[in-house]
Amino acid sequence: MRVLDVLRMSWGQIVRRKVVTLLCMIGLSIGCAAMIIALSVGQSVQVYGEKTLNENYKMDEITVSPNEGINSGGSSGQTSTFERGALTARKIDIIASLPHVVAVAPMLKLDMLEMATLDGKSSNVEVIGTELGSLSRFGYRFDKGGASGISGAAIVNYGATFGLVDAEVIRELNDKLMEDSFNDEFLQQYMALMSAQTELFQAQFNLKYQDMNDSSKTKTSSPLRVTGVLKVPGGMSENNAMYDKKVYVSLETARMLAEQFQSSQAQAAAAGRLNSALVKVEDKKYVAQVQEQIQKLTLMTDSNLYQEQAMKEQLGMYQKAAMGIGIFVMLLASLSIIVAMIMSTHQRRKQIGVMKVLGANLWQIRQMFITEAAVLGVLGGIVGVFIAYGAIQGVNGLLQGQISMDASTPLQVDIQTSALPAGIVFAVLTGVLSGIYPAISASRTNALQVIKSA
């Protein structure tokens, strides 16, 4: 028989046997839709995961710190010009010249200090000395003002503008909370004070440091002025950013503050040493290579590559779960097709017997059943595409609730173009494979016995 004849006969049987066709179509369409959704979910979660990593963990950045385990002095007890374990300006210049390094921000981090404004409000902040002009190269965006080269200039982040309250007021409220920590009224007052935002742009303030040797003594810095206020970092919610309080000053100002306060960083600062540096790499694929080069300078490095590995493992679980559900549904579809085709074979025994008497061979009979199963697979795949588009809205709602509960950017699953032909092909293969056994069973029908019993 010609291919066209086989297709015509298969189509006739599909149209004639509506119950069998409906059973097969339901199984194949649902299976195809499940496979398309599984592939789309896997791809969308992978894209979402990579985007979240880049926003929250900055995969293209490396944190450099001194190697405290290596003596920075020479063998004779004198200070070496290279200072092996120390992080110095010379090493910063070497790091900046490495291949694939885009920017380097040297840092001198001071202790937590009290920021006090002229109107008597104060809050504890982390003070970081760095090159203020390098902040923009690391993705920091200014809400007001910008970096300034004037002496005593400071840049505050979004969180530093919150929680500035009168020291006496917060002390009295803390005492009340110590006496009655479950008092809702006190808790609400405390949260209201901590969430109150203060306009700091162009404001003048001082930093205060409590003497570790004598807690009754407090050292106060020379006046500083806010020349820039940063926006909320990308990938961080405003609620989380409120509690991240940082003040950035120039390296010269940081050394001056360390000397004024005689803090633990004073000696290192006076020697021109740094306690941290941030390195931005051209692409995250070069991070490991740059880390290796920096470590040769007897420095310690840290990056978020391990976060990528952890994310891959987590995403792999989601992808495997989605694929497992899709394959399971396809197996159920296969069983429904096998049962339906066996029913069809039993009902068409007389037709098969007549075909054999008229000279049809085993392959032609099997070809007819397999073609019928393939056509059902195509039809089921097409219907499955429409079901997948309808069901993806429900999948989006489920995934947004489960995965992106704490994320600032919700997860959106989109039907992948590559998943459509894959789902249809899988439906056709499922139909063909499921129709092989009924086809073999049909070809073994005893023509004479069937005709005699008819």
Side-chain angles (χ1 to χ4, degrees), residues 181-330:
S181 58
F182 296 101
N183 189 305
D184 289 339
E185 182 181 353
F186 295 158
L187 288 172
Q188 289 177 3
Q189 290 178 13
Y190 181 83
M191 294 303 297
L193 289 174
M194 291 299 102
S195 59
Q197 190 173 18
T198 302
E199 176 58 58
L200 288 180
F201 182 57
Q202 293 297 341
Q204 187 173 310
F205 67 94
N206 298 91
L207 292 171
K208 296 182 178 182
Y209 178 76
Q210 191 175 47
D211 195 327
M212 300 300 295
N213 299 321
D214 187 354
S215 59
S216 63
K217 293 182 179 180
T218 301
K219 299 178 180 180
T220 303
S221 73
S222 53
L224 302 174
R225 184 175 295 278
V226 178
T227 62
V229 180
L230 297 174
K231 292 183 177 181
V232 178
M236 181 181 289
S237 65
E238 291 187 358
N239 288 334
N240 291 335
M242 282 173 52
Y243 300 98
D244 179 32
K245 303 175 185 294
K246 290 186 175 68
V247 174
Y248 297 93
V249 296
S250 67
L251 288 171
E252 292 75 14
T253 301
R255 293 190 180 100
M256 179 192 69
L257 292 172
E259 183 180 355
Q260 288 180 356
F261 296 142
Q262 288 299 301
S263 63
S264 56
Q265 297 87 7
Q267 185 177 358
R273 298 175 188 169
L274 305 164
N275 53 22
S276 180
L278 202 58
V279 180
K280 189 174 185 64
V281 182
E282 182 181 345
D283 191 273
K284 67 178 181 179
K285 64 183 179 182
Y286 300 118
V287 168
Q289 176 184 338
V290 174
Q291 274 189 277
E292 184 179 352
Q293 295 295 321
I294 295 174
Q295 288 167 3
K296 291 180 180 179
L297 298 173
T298 62
L299 297 172
M300 299 182 68
T301 62
D302 186 28
S303 67
N304 291 311
L305 290 180
Y306 71 96
Q307 294 283 0
E308 184 177 28
Q309 183 61 33
M311 180 67 78
K312 283 183 178 179
E313 293 177 0
Q314 184 178 7
L315 295 181
M317 293 175 59
Y318 284 115
Q319 290 173 339
K320 289 177 181 178
M323 288 297 296
I325 293 172
I327 293 174
F328 177 73
V329 174
M330 272 298 187

Side-chain angles (χ1 to χ4, degrees), residues 49-60 234 284:
E50 292 178 354
K51 181 181 179 183
T52 302
L53 278 175
N54 292 329
E55 287 181 348
N56 295 346
Y57 298 105
K58 296 186 177 181
M59 301 301 295
D60 58 350
K284 67 178 181 179

